[in-house]
């Protein structure tokens, strides 16, 4: 998960499972930013993606291009690794 997403989610209201996944993540420095490697079941990743949608912008909520890109990258990583479920 990109660092911009991790920073946003740390400030958000998360349930215990989501918070534990973030807290157990391993930080990997990447150039100017960082990546948080989170080991969790796909359902947790999909819930985290749903919670970070405000970063992607929407009606009445402008988004910063870097935040949109971070959301898109995280969604793409999760979608290629595991299906959304039944």
């Amino acid at each position: 998960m990109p660092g911009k997403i991790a920073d946003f989610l740390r400030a958000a209201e998360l349930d215990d499972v989501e918070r534990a996944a973030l807290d157990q993540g391993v930080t990997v420095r990447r150039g100017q930013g960082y990546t948080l490697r989170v080991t969790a079941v796909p359902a947790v990743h999909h819930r985290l993606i749903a919670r970070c949608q405000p970063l992607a912008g929407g009606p009445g909520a402008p988004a910063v291009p870097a935040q949109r890109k971070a959301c898109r990258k995280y969604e793409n990583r999760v979608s290629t690794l595991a299906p959304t479920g039944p």
Side-chain angles (χ1 to χ4, degrees), residues 8-9 18 43-55 74-75:
F8 175 78
L9 290 173
E18 295 166 343
V44 172
H45 283 288
H46 290 289
R47 290 195 315 238
L48 291 172
I49 288 170
R51 291 191 187 268
C52 72
Q53 288 307 310
L55 288 178
Y74 184 39
E75 287 178 29

Side-chain angles (χ1 to χ4, degrees), residues 27-73:
T27 301
V28 178
R29 296 295 301 172
R30 299 280 169 128
Q32 294 179 359
Y34 72 96
T35 297
L36 185 67
R37 293 200 178 165
V38 176
T39 303
V41 295
V44 172
H45 283 288
H46 290 289
R47 290 195 315 238
L48 291 172
I49 288 170
R51 291 191 187 268
C52 72
Q53 288 307 310
L55 288 178
V64 176
Q67 292 172 337
R68 276 198 313 260
K69 182 179 178 183
C71 288
R72 192 173 55 246
K73 284 176 65 174

